[in-house]
Amino acid sequence: NPYPLSLNLSSEKFTQHEYTMSNHANVFSREGMDIGSRFFLETLVKSQPVSDEALSMVDLGCGNGIVGLIVAERFPNAQLHFVDESYMAVDSARINFQRAFPNRSAQFSAMDCLGELEENSVDMIMNNPPFHQQNAITGHIAWQMFQDARECLVKSGHLIVVGNRHLEYHIKLKRLFG
């Protein structure tokens, strides 16, 4: 059994650190970073200055946790919560976070979207929602993630989403958030 796979991210433009990511079987993008996450992280690094604010942040649909790791770099005092419906993904994120930040704590939860989080409790949610279920392209999982994010975010909170234009997330997000 080749799992967990290891993926080295030392050459990526969005980080100065060397990360070796551990990826269990069935974790999205386990053999290499997907283009959406790469673009997301490059954009995040350019647009979000390093901050000492103690924000509550969620990596929703965390996969192996790479988005949360980069957020942890940029927000060293943030309380991070890694969420995914896959136990393998959550465990991969936990292993990767603990390896990268051995003296820092975070929360790791296997749950369906954000239904178990408290309303108005999160400052920022980062999300690269899935749009495939088996062989079908679908937006229903993303829609649930967006609805849950709306409930969990504080009034001045931020939802940062990766979305292909053809998925029309911008229409759904406008409907939910104005």
Side-chain angles (χ1 to χ4, degrees), residues 7-21 45 50 66 69-74 76 99-101:
L7 176 64
N8 191 305
L9 299 178
S10 61
S11 63
E12 297 293 343
K13 298 175 188 172
F14 52 77
T15 182
Q16 301 297 315
H17 301 279
E18 184 171 324
Y19 293 121
T20 300
M21 304 299 288
V45 167
V50 174
I66 185 58
L69 293 184
I70 303 305
V71 167
E73 280 181 19
R74 308 211 52 85
R99 183 183 299 138
F101 301 97

Side-chain angles (χ1 to χ4, degrees), residues 12-177:
E12 297 293 343
K13 298 175 188 172
F14 52 77
T15 182
Q16 301 297 315
H17 301 279
E18 184 171 324
Y19 293 121
T20 300
M21 304 299 288
S22 181
N23 299 310
H24 286 302
N26 209 25
V27 173
F28 175 70
S29 203
R30 65 193 161 275
E31 295 177 10
M33 185 175 300
D34 67 292
I35 192 168
S37 292
R38 183 174 286 113
F39 178 76
F40 180 93
L41 291 169
E42 288 172 3
T43 303
L44 182 74
V45 167
K46 290 177 188 171
S47 66
Q48 293 290 324
V50 174
S51 172
D52 286 332
E53 283 187 88
L55 301 173
S56 172
M57 305 175 99
V58 174
D59 182 353
L60 175 58
C62 66
N64 67 11
I66 185 58
V67 170
L69 293 184
I70 303 305
V71 167
E73 280 181 19
R74 308 211 52 85
F75 297 88
N77 295 319
Q79 175 57 47
L80 295 166
H81 196 147
F82 294 79
V83 175
D84 201 295
E85 71 172 359
S86 164
Y87 287 93
M88 288 182 181
V90 171
D91 194 53
S92 294
R94 181 190 56 77
I95 290 166
N96 294 328
F97 183 83
Q98 290 175 344
R99 183 183 299 138
F101 301 97
N103 298 317
R104 192 166 169 189
S105 65
Q107 294 177 292
F108 301 88
S109 300
M111 66 175 137
D112 184 23
C113 298
L114 297 172
E116 297 174 31
L117 291 186
E118 201 174 307
E119 287 185 20
N120 303 311
S121 64
V122 178
D123 297 300
M124 187 182 294
I125 298 172
M126 289 72 55
N127 182 220
N128 184 2
F131 59 91
H132 286 103
Q133 187 165 29
Q134 307 300 354
N135 294 321
I137 294 178
T138 178
H140 79 278
I141 297 168
W143 181 244
Q144 183 63 50
M145 289 175 155
F146 301 158
Q147 289 175 312
D148 286 2
R150 183 171 186 249
E151 297 299 316
C152 292
L153 284 169
V154 297
K155 275 257 192 253
S156 60
H158 298 278
L159 171 63
I160 304 173
V161 176
V162 174
N164 295 308
R165 191 74 164 160
H166 75 278
L167 299 172
E168 299 184 343
Y169 290 162
H170 62 290
I171 294 169
K172 292 176 179 168
L173 291 167
K174 187 169 184 148
R175 192 177 315 149
L176 276 175
F177 293 96

